[in-house]
Amino acid sequence: MFRSGSRRTRDQGPAAEAVRLVKVSKTYGTDDSAVTALDGVTLCLERATFTAVMGPSGSGKSTLLQCAAGLDRPDNGIVRVDGMELTGGSEAELTRFRRGRVGFVFQQYNLLQTLTVAQNTVLPLKLAGRRVDRKRAREVLTAVGLGDRLGHRPDQLSGGQRQRVAIARALVAEPRVIFADEPTGALDTRSARDVLRLLQEAVRVHGRTVVMVTHDPVAASYADSVLFLADGRLAGRLDAPTADAVAERLAHLGDDMPAGV
């Protein structure tokens, strides 16, 4: 069963800490083919913050997001999201938790082609057996600039519009934490900027917590802070990032780390 260290109940409001990982490790494969994706990662992300996670290919950033979001189980360590410990929960419990408190935005949108914009947006609520507030859905879609596209299907939208649907879908369920994996990777510059501003708004206006994996220093500059990973370990943090500062840090990532790290 899930555990809450503070014994906080669902209706007592969000936890001060949105995400906490304690000595989280994850290895794929066995013996000679084993690859350590995360190596004892410990971190804490406060509520209502926007954090970007960066690092070279194979650094463990996507694994970090998947373990933090309850999409994958770490081999060791503790994962807490919104005050609830995910370690040890059954798959059914994890699914219920994700549907109730976590939102996802992926590079590939994950929209159902046979459903309209409005139907895609409320689908997670239906899957969770929650009441569908269509007025609220329309308000969210209008807020992301799709108020005149409610009846359109995904193949009638641009890439940027599809990603806005994905963001609206995440927001309409009112999650405590939104995990975004390369959400601007397939978008043009203008659409990417619009999507990043929507994620900023989710934090600053609606009080959500956003954790975004990205390879793009410009995208990372929209976050409040950037966490850097190298070889499955934390390799630094940059607050109030600029694109140039992020690019500079990436260029020298690992230079100051001890041998073997």
Side-chain angles (χ1 to χ4, degrees), residues 131-158:
R131 184 179 69 88
V132 175
D133 186 339
R134 300 191 185 280
K135 180 181 178 182
R136 163 70 177 161
R138 287 195 299 270
E139 290 174 349
V140 173
L141 285 165
T142 298
V144 302
L146 293 173
D148 59 346
R149 297 287 192 274
L150 302 183
H152 287 57
R153 300 188 189 281
D155 61 3
Q156 298 173 301
L157 305 176
S158 68

Short mmCIF file of all heavy atoms in Angstrom, two decimals, residues 131-158:
data_model
loop_
_atom_site.label_atom_id
_atom_site.label_comp_id
_atom_site.label_asym_id
_atom_site.label_seq_id
_atom_site.Cartn_x
_atom_site.Cartn_y
_atom_site.Cartn_z
N ARG A 131 -16.02 12.50 -12.55
CA ARG A 131 -17.05 13.30 -13.22
C ARG A 131 -16.41 14.19 -14.28
O ARG A 131 -15.38 14.82 -14.05
CB ARG A 131 -17.78 14.18 -12.19
CG ARG A 131 -18.94 14.98 -12.78
CD ARG A 131 -19.62 15.79 -11.68
NE ARG A 131 -18.76 16.86 -11.20
CZ ARG A 131 -18.72 18.07 -11.75
NH1 ARG A 131 -19.46 18.35 -12.82
NH2 ARG A 131 -17.94 19.01 -11.25
N VAL A 132 -17.02 14.24 -15.44
CA VAL A 132 -16.51 15.05 -16.55
C VAL A 132 -17.21 16.41 -16.53
O VAL A 132 -18.42 16.49 -16.74
CB VAL A 132 -16.73 14.35 -17.90
CG1 VAL A 132 -16.31 15.27 -19.05
CG2 VAL A 132 -15.94 13.04 -17.95
N ASP A 133 -16.45 17.44 -16.26
CA ASP A 133 -16.97 18.81 -16.27
C ASP A 133 -16.64 19.41 -17.63
O ASP A 133 -15.55 19.92 -17.86
CB ASP A 133 -16.32 19.62 -15.14
CG ASP A 133 -16.93 21.01 -15.01
OD1 ASP A 133 -17.54 21.49 -15.98
OD2 ASP A 133 -16.77 21.63 -13.93
N ARG A 134 -17.60 19.34 -18.55
CA ARG A 134 -17.33 19.79 -19.91
C ARG A 134 -17.12 21.30 -20.00
O ARG A 134 -16.38 21.78 -20.85
CB ARG A 134 -18.47 19.34 -20.84
CG ARG A 134 -18.61 17.81 -20.85
CD ARG A 134 -19.53 17.30 -21.94
NE ARG A 134 -19.70 15.86 -21.82
CZ ARG A 134 -18.81 14.97 -22.27
NH1 ARG A 134 -17.70 15.37 -22.83
NH2 ARG A 134 -19.02 13.68 -22.13
N LYS A 135 -17.76 22.03 -19.11
CA LYS A 135 -17.54 23.48 -19.08
C LYS A 135 -16.09 23.78 -18.71
O LYS A 135 -15.44 24.63 -19.34
CB LYS A 135 -18.48 24.15 -18.08
CG LYS A 135 -18.30 25.65 -18.00
CD LYS A 135 -19.24 26.27 -16.98
CE LYS A 135 -19.02 27.77 -16.86
NZ LYS A 135 -19.90 28.39 -15.84
N ARG A 136 -15.59 23.06 -17.71
CA ARG A 136 -14.19 23.23 -17.30
C ARG A 136 -13.26 22.86 -18.45
O ARG A 136 -12.26 23.55 -18.71
CB ARG A 136 -13.91 22.37 -16.08
CG ARG A 136 -12.46 22.11 -15.76
CD ARG A 136 -11.75 23.33 -15.27
NE ARG A 136 -10.38 23.01 -14.91
CZ ARG A 136 -9.41 23.90 -14.80
NH1 ARG A 136 -9.65 25.17 -15.02
NH2 ARG A 136 -8.18 23.54 -14.47
N ALA A 137 -13.57 21.78 -19.17
CA ALA A 137 -12.74 21.36 -20.29
C ALA A 137 -12.71 22.44 -21.37
O ALA A 137 -11.64 22.73 -21.94
CB ALA A 137 -13.25 20.04 -20.86
N ARG A 138 -13.86 23.03 -21.66
CA ARG A 138 -13.90 24.10 -22.66
C ARG A 138 -13.08 25.30 -22.21
O ARG A 138 -12.38 25.93 -23.02
CB ARG A 138 -15.35 24.52 -22.92
CG ARG A 138 -16.17 23.52 -23.71
CD ARG A 138 -17.45 24.15 -24.24
NE ARG A 138 -18.32 24.63 -23.16
CZ ARG A 138 -19.24 23.88 -22.57
NH1 ARG A 138 -19.41 22.62 -22.94
NH2 ARG A 138 -19.99 24.39 -21.61
N GLU A 139 -13.15 25.61 -20.92
CA GLU A 139 -12.38 26.74 -20.40
C GLU A 139 -10.87 26.50 -20.55
O GLU A 139 -10.12 27.40 -20.93
CB GLU A 139 -12.72 26.96 -18.93
CG GLU A 139 -14.12 27.51 -18.70
CD GLU A 139 -14.49 27.57 -17.23
OE1 GLU A 139 -13.73 26.99 -16.42
OE2 GLU A 139 -15.51 28.19 -16.89
N VAL A 140 -10.45 25.28 -20.24
CA VAL A 140 -9.03 24.95 -20.36
C VAL A 140 -8.59 25.00 -21.82
O VAL A 140 -7.53 25.55 -22.15
CB VAL A 140 -8.73 23.57 -19.74
CG1 VAL A 140 -7.29 23.15 -20.03
CG2 VAL A 140 -8.98 23.60 -18.24
N LEU A 141 -9.39 24.43 -22.71
CA LEU A 141 -9.05 24.43 -24.13
C LEU A 141 -9.02 25.86 -24.69
O LEU A 141 -8.18 26.19 -25.52
CB LEU A 141 -10.02 23.56 -24.91
CG LEU A 141 -9.80 22.06 -24.73
CD1 LEU A 141 -11.00 21.26 -25.22
CD2 LEU A 141 -8.53 21.62 -25.46
N THR A 142 -9.93 26.69 -24.21
CA THR A 142 -9.91 28.10 -24.63
C THR A 142 -8.64 28.78 -24.13
O THR A 142 -8.01 29.55 -24.85
CB THR A 142 -11.14 28.84 -24.10
OG1 THR A 142 -12.32 28.23 -24.67
CG2 THR A 142 -11.12 30.31 -24.50
N ALA A 143 -8.25 28.45 -22.91
CA ALA A 143 -7.05 29.05 -22.32
C ALA A 143 -5.79 28.69 -23.08
O ALA A 143 -4.84 29.48 -23.14
CB ALA A 143 -6.92 28.63 -20.86
N VAL A 144 -5.76 27.50 -23.70
CA VAL A 144 -4.58 27.10 -24.47
C VAL A 144 -4.73 27.43 -25.95
O VAL A 144 -3.94 26.98 -26.79
CB VAL A 144 -4.26 25.60 -24.28
CG1 VAL A 144 -4.03 25.27 -22.82
CG2 VAL A 144 -5.35 24.71 -24.87
N GLY A 145 -5.76 28.20 -26.28
CA GLY A 145 -5.92 28.69 -27.64
C GLY A 145 -6.64 27.75 -28.59
O GLY A 145 -6.51 27.87 -29.81
N LEU A 146 -7.43 26.83 -28.03
CA LEU A 146 -8.11 25.84 -28.89
C LEU A 146 -9.63 25.90 -28.72
O LEU A 146 -10.33 24.94 -29.03
CB LEU A 146 -7.61 24.43 -28.57
CG LEU A 146 -6.16 24.15 -28.93
CD1 LEU A 146 -5.74 22.78 -28.41
CD2 LEU A 146 -5.93 24.23 -30.44
N GLY A 147 -10.13 27.03 -28.26
CA GLY A 147 -11.57 27.15 -28.05
C GLY A 147 -12.39 26.99 -29.31
O GLY A 147 -13.57 26.61 -29.25
N ASP A 148 -11.77 27.25 -30.47
CA ASP A 148 -12.48 27.10 -31.74
C ASP A 148 -12.14 25.80 -32.45
O ASP A 148 -12.43 25.64 -33.63
CB ASP A 148 -12.15 28.29 -32.66
CG ASP A 148 -10.66 28.40 -32.95
OD1 ASP A 148 -9.86 27.74 -32.25
OD2 ASP A 148 -10.29 29.15 -33.88
N ARG A 149 -11.53 24.86 -31.72
CA ARG A 149 -11.12 23.59 -32.33
C ARG A 149 -11.70 22.38 -31.59
O ARG A 149 -11.23 21.26 -31.76
CB ARG A 149 -9.59 23.47 -32.32
CG ARG A 149 -8.85 24.53 -33.13
CD ARG A 149 -8.99 24.28 -34.62
NE ARG A 149 -8.08 25.11 -35.41
CZ ARG A 149 -8.34 26.34 -35.80
NH1 ARG A 149 -9.50 26.90 -35.45
NH2 ARG A 149 -7.49 27.03 -36.52
N LEU A 150 -12.73 22.59 -30.81
CA LEU A 150 -13.24 21.52 -29.95
C LEU A 150 -13.67 20.29 -30.72
O LEU A 150 -13.50 19.16 -30.26
CB LEU A 150 -14.42 22.04 -29.11
CG LEU A 150 -14.16 23.24 -28.21
CD1 LEU A 150 -15.41 23.57 -27.40
CD2 LEU A 150 -12.99 22.98 -27.29
N GLY A 151 -14.24 20.48 -31.92
CA GLY A 151 -14.75 19.35 -32.69
C GLY A 151 -13.76 18.79 -33.69
O GLY A 151 -14.07 17.84 -34.41
N HIS A 152 -12.56 19.36 -33.74
CA HIS A 152 -11.54 18.88 -34.68
C HIS A 152 -10.91 17.59 -34.17
O HIS A 152 -10.85 17.34 -32.97
CB HIS A 152 -10.46 19.93 -34.89
CG HIS A 152 -10.89 21.10 -35.71
ND1 HIS A 152 -11.97 21.90 -35.38
CD2 HIS A 152 -10.37 21.62 -36.86
CE1 HIS A 152 -12.10 22.86 -36.29
NE2 HIS A 152 -11.14 22.71 -37.20
N ARG A 153 -10.41 16.81 -35.10
CA ARG A 153 -9.67 15.61 -34.75
C ARG A 153 -8.17 15.89 -34.90
O ARG A 153 -7.77 16.86 -35.56
CB ARG A 153 -10.10 14.43 -35.63
CG ARG A 153 -11.59 14.11 -35.46
CD ARG A 153 -12.01 12.83 -36.16
NE ARG A 153 -13.46 12.68 -36.15
CZ ARG A 153 -14.16 12.25 -35.10
NH1 ARG A 153 -13.54 11.90 -33.99
NH2 ARG A 153 -15.48 12.15 -35.17
N PRO A 154 -7.31 15.07 -34.27
CA PRO A 154 -5.87 15.35 -34.28
C PRO A 154 -5.27 15.56 -35.67
O PRO A 154 -4.38 16.40 -35.84
CB PRO A 154 -5.28 14.11 -33.61
CG PRO A 154 -6.35 13.70 -32.64
CD PRO A 154 -7.64 13.94 -33.38
N ASP A 155 -5.76 14.82 -36.68
CA ASP A 155 -5.17 14.97 -38.01
C ASP A 155 -5.56 16.29 -38.68
O ASP A 155 -5.06 16.62 -39.76
CB ASP A 155 -5.53 13.79 -38.91
CG ASP A 155 -7.03 13.64 -39.14
OD1 ASP A 155 -7.80 14.50 -38.64
OD2 ASP A 155 -7.43 12.68 -39.82
N GLN A 156 -6.42 17.05 -38.04
CA GLN A 156 -6.80 18.37 -38.55
C GLN A 156 -6.06 19.50 -37.83
O GLN A 156 -6.33 20.66 -38.06
CB GLN A 156 -8.32 18.58 -38.37
CG GLN A 156 -9.17 17.59 -39.16
CD GLN A 156 -10.65 17.72 -38.85
OE1 GLN A 156 -11.06 17.57 -37.69
NE2 GLN A 156 -11.44 18.04 -39.86
N LEU A 157 -5.10 19.13 -36.98
CA LEU A 157 -4.36 20.09 -36.18
C LEU A 157 -2.88 20.10 -36.55
O LEU A 157 -2.34 19.10 -37.04
CB LEU A 157 -4.50 19.77 -34.69
CG LEU A 157 -5.90 19.66 -34.11
CD1 LEU A 157 -5.81 19.23 -32.66
CD2 LEU A 157 -6.66 20.97 -34.25
N SER A 158 -2.23 21.21 -36.28
CA SER A 158 -0.78 21.28 -36.43
C SER A 158 -0.12 20.60 -35.24
O SER A 158 -0.78 20.27 -34.24
CB SER A 158 -0.33 22.74 -36.49
OG SER A 158 -0.54 23.38 -35.22
#
